[in-house]
Amino acid sequence: MKTSTNSLPAASERKMSWPRLVSDKRFGLEEMSPGRGGVRSDFRRDYDRMVFSSPFRRLQNKTQVFPLPGGSIFVHNRLTHSLEVSSVGRSIASEVMTALKPRYRGTSGSDALDSIGEIVAAACLAHDLGNPPFGHSGEKAISTFFSEGEGAVLRDSLTASEWNDLVRFEGNANAFRVLTHSFNGRRHGGFGMTYATLASIVKYPYESSIAGESGKFGFFDSERESFRRIADELGLIRREREDGALEYARHPLVYIVEAADDICYEIMDIEDAHKLRILSSDDVLPLLLSYFTGDDFERHNEAVKAISDSNEKVAYLRSAVINRLVTCCAESFVANEPAIMRGTFSGSLLRSLNGPEREAYEACNALSWSRIYCAGDVVDIELAGNRIITFLLQKHIHAVRFPELNYSRLLLAKVPQQYDVNAPALYGRVQAVLDHLSAMTDVYALDLYRKLNGQTLPAV
């Protein structure tokens, strides 16, 4: 449904509305004629557009947590993680839609709710699109290159906002850039995604200057006006700040995308760790069973006893736990929907749960930090990734600063033309380097590292 542009809501009307939030206006294609016909909605087109895109396919060779497998044991990569998040997100949204439609019966909000499953599914596919190689350690390697490493020399040459973007480099903000930026040779508006889908991936709808100690933010200075345009069109509630910094309340569907992501990485990391024998069955089975009480506990416990294969035991409980958390998160969203629509709900859907599900989730999180994320193979990939990314940044940032040097010309000639390494401003050239580097797969980054170090040569 097409929506007209309205002004920001007045203080007395600080409540978002589903008809306005569910906008199929396309970024960069705002003048496109409505009504294409056919059976696919514009939100379904968002989903399909993601599936067939090169950045999405490259997620197959990007680390989630554990090193990419070279043997027979499967562990998750960014692609499989994103597909699972999309499945879980659609399930939560479907339950939310079913529960909320009676609340909006007879209003335009009821029709708008029909689309939220498709929007969430597409947003979940896109949520990790901006993550660099080597998992979350890649983000840290980029930010610390500027805050602690050789990149610190650039500080006096950039504005405060530009500098904050670099020292707090954030994959979520980079995903928004990947989807909306008009790279060289590409069409205007990036992917041309709908406003609703784009807003639904921005977990932290504010700029880097107010990220605080968490370091989380939703858009770079270069995409500030793009996000403002989207947020104002959708009627997201803007936070009034004395410093003038841009900050909004989340699009309500962000809570569902976030919950799906949290469910998948927490539960699936534990299953992967069990397959890799970092965690034993004695560690995992009681933990997953703790999500259930009473008859549910007895039923699942008996089902586990009937399975002989230890990996299948975990897989069965993993499925049951995800199903339970889907229902709990949907119930939490519906219960808190009035506060969410007013922009006053804080925290996340999972953190708002009460009872055994919340306690079990916290126990899973504690186990992950104490046993999984500090495991030898995980730390090894972080160390290697940090070294590779730091080296590549050193070479490329030096090249865009001093492009007249012979080595710089040779190196920049290898950068794909879509990345504007010849941008007039230093910030633009640095962003082009980060665009190039964050798009790399783990394998490509390692191969380039070896070539630039002279460790491998092209076949003769």
Side-chain angles (χ1 to χ4, degrees):
M1 65 193 68
K2 299 295 176 185
T3 57
S4 60
T5 303
N6 296 306
S7 58
L8 291 172
S12 60
E13 303 171 346
R14 295 178 70 84
K15 182 178 180 180
M16 294 175 276
S17 69
W18 286 113
R20 191 169 173 187
L21 290 165
V22 181
S23 169
D24 61 4
K25 179 177 286 190
R26 291 197 171 277
F27 185 78
L29 304 171
E30 287 84 359
E31 303 306 318
M32 183 179 65
S33 299
R36 298 197 206 184
V39 298
R40 287 193 304 156
S41 71
D42 275 294
F43 306 122
R44 180 71 196 194
R45 286 185 167 92
D46 281 349
Y47 182 94
D48 295 345
R49 194 168 291 186
M50 283 301 311
V51 168
F52 285 92
S53 70
S54 294
F56 183 70
R57 292 196 298 271
R58 285 197 293 267
L59 295 178
Q60 180 178 358
N61 285 314
K62 288 192 176 186
T63 297
Q64 175 66 14
V65 173
F66 300 101
L68 298 178
S72 60
I73 298 178
F74 168 83
V75 295
H76 287 78
N77 54 47
R78 287 280 177 188
L79 180 68
T80 50
H81 168 72
S82 297
L83 289 168
E84 290 173 350
V85 172
S86 183
S87 177
V88 171
R90 183 190 284 113
S91 295
I92 298 173
S94 295
E95 293 198 18
V96 167
M97 177 195 68
T98 300
L100 284 182
K101 280 183 75 71
R103 187 179 294 178
Y104 285 90
R105 184 177 290 117
T107 71
S108 56
S110 179
D111 292 336
L113 287 167
D114 289 335
S115 298
I116 67 172
E118 292 182 327
I119 297 170
V120 168
C124 287
L125 283 188
H127 83 283
D128 271 351
L129 212 63
N131 283 62
F134 307 110
H136 287 294
S137 62
E139 291 175 282
K140 191 67 173 176
I142 292 174
S143 62
T144 54
F145 172 79
F146 295 102
S147 62
E148 303 173 4
E150 293 184 17
V153 71
L154 303 180
R155 180 167 191 169
D156 292 339
S157 301
L158 300 170
T159 67
S161 296
E162 293 167 349
W163 181 247
N164 280 324
D165 287 350
L166 301 182
V167 297
R168 294 170 172 169
F169 181 86
E170 225 287 327
N172 191 242
N174 200 45
F176 185 75
R177 175 174 169 82
V178 169
L179 291 170
T180 59
H181 184 67
S182 299
F183 292 98
N184 287 342
R186 304 301 175 92
R187 67 180 179 183
H188 182 64
F191 277 57
M193 304 286 274
T194 63
Y195 279 31
T197 298
L198 288 171
S200 295
I201 72 164
V202 183
K203 293 170 63 175
Y204 317 103
Y206 45 81
E207 59 189 85
S208 59
S209 64
I210 54 176
E213 293 184 2
S214 72
K216 301 294 186 180
F217 62 101
F219 46 87
F220 297 124
D221 188 64
S222 51
E223 281 70 55
R224 186 180 192 273
E225 287 308 302
S226 295
F227 184 77
R228 182 198 57 75
R229 174 154 47 107
I230 292 169
D232 289 350
E233 171 72 23
L234 298 177
L236 302 189
I237 296 172
R238 183 167 178 175
R239 316 283 195 197
E240 300 300 329
R241 296 183 58 90
E242 292 184 0
D243 59 7
L246 201 62
E247 179 183 9
Y248 288 85
R250 283 176 163 185
H251 189 293
L253 297 184
V254 170
Y255 289 101
I256 298 178
V257 174
E258 177 184 52
D261 186 26
D262 289 348
I263 290 170
C264 287
Y265 81 70
E266 192 67 79
I267 305 304
M268 304 313 296
D269 287 354
I270 288 174
E271 184 179 16
D272 282 352
H274 179 263
K275 288 181 179 179
L276 295 170
R277 299 187 178 182
I278 294 171
L279 299 176
S280 69
S281 295
D282 290 340
D283 294 321
V284 175
L285 296 179
L287 187 60
L288 296 183
L289 280 167
S290 68
Y291 280 88
F292 308 100
T293 58
D295 291 342
D296 284 341
F297 175 87
E298 294 300 330
R299 176 166 57 88
H300 291 307
N301 192 34
E302 289 302 314
V304 168
K305 289 179 180 178
I307 303 171
S308 59
D309 184 273
S310 62
N311 285 332
E312 285 302 309
K313 289 176 184 282
V314 173
Y316 169 81
L317 284 178
R318 173 259 298 159
S319 176
V321 168
I322 290 176
N323 184 63
R324 180 64 188 142
L325 289 177
V326 163
T327 298
C328 288
C329 287
E331 291 173 348
S332 176
F333 186 98
V334 172
N336 291 288
E337 191 248 3
I340 290 172
M341 299 298 278
R342 291 193 300 271
T344 57
F345 180 75
S346 61
S348 67
L349 297 181
L350 279 167
R351 300 295 181 188
S352 71
L353 301 183
N354 295 311
E357 296 87 3
R358 169 66 183 271
E359 294 176 6
Y361 184 82
E362 295 291 352
C364 285
N365 189 55
L367 181 68
S368 295
W369 283 103
S370 65
R371 298 280 300 281
I372 297 177
Y373 304 141
C374 62
D377 286 348
V378 176
V379 175
D380 286 345
I381 199 71
E382 289 187 4
L383 289 170
N386 187 289
R387 185 177 182 88
I388 292 167
I389 288 177
T390 299
F391 175 81
L392 295 179
L393 280 172
Q394 289 171 343
K395 296 300 182 183
H396 285 83
I397 294 298
H398 187 270
V400 296
R401 292 181 64 210
F402 306 104
E404 71 280 1
L405 300 180
N406 182 58
Y407 184 85
S408 298
R409 289 197 298 270
L410 292 172
L411 181 58
L412 295 179
K414 289 179 61 65
V415 177
Q417 292 185 357
Q418 63 177 306
Y419 305 123
D420 191 6
V421 292
N422 298 310
L426 176 62
Y427 178 62
R429 298 196 297 275
V430 171
Q431 277 198 307
V433 170
L434 298 183
D435 292 333
H436 177 40
L437 194 148
S438 62
M440 294 178 185
T441 64
D442 294 14
V443 174
Y444 182 91
L446 174 59
D447 181 59
L448 184 59
Y449 170 82
R450 287 171 172 167
K451 286 178 179 177
L452 296 184
N453 270 302
Q455 295 173 356
T456 60
L457 291 171
V460 179

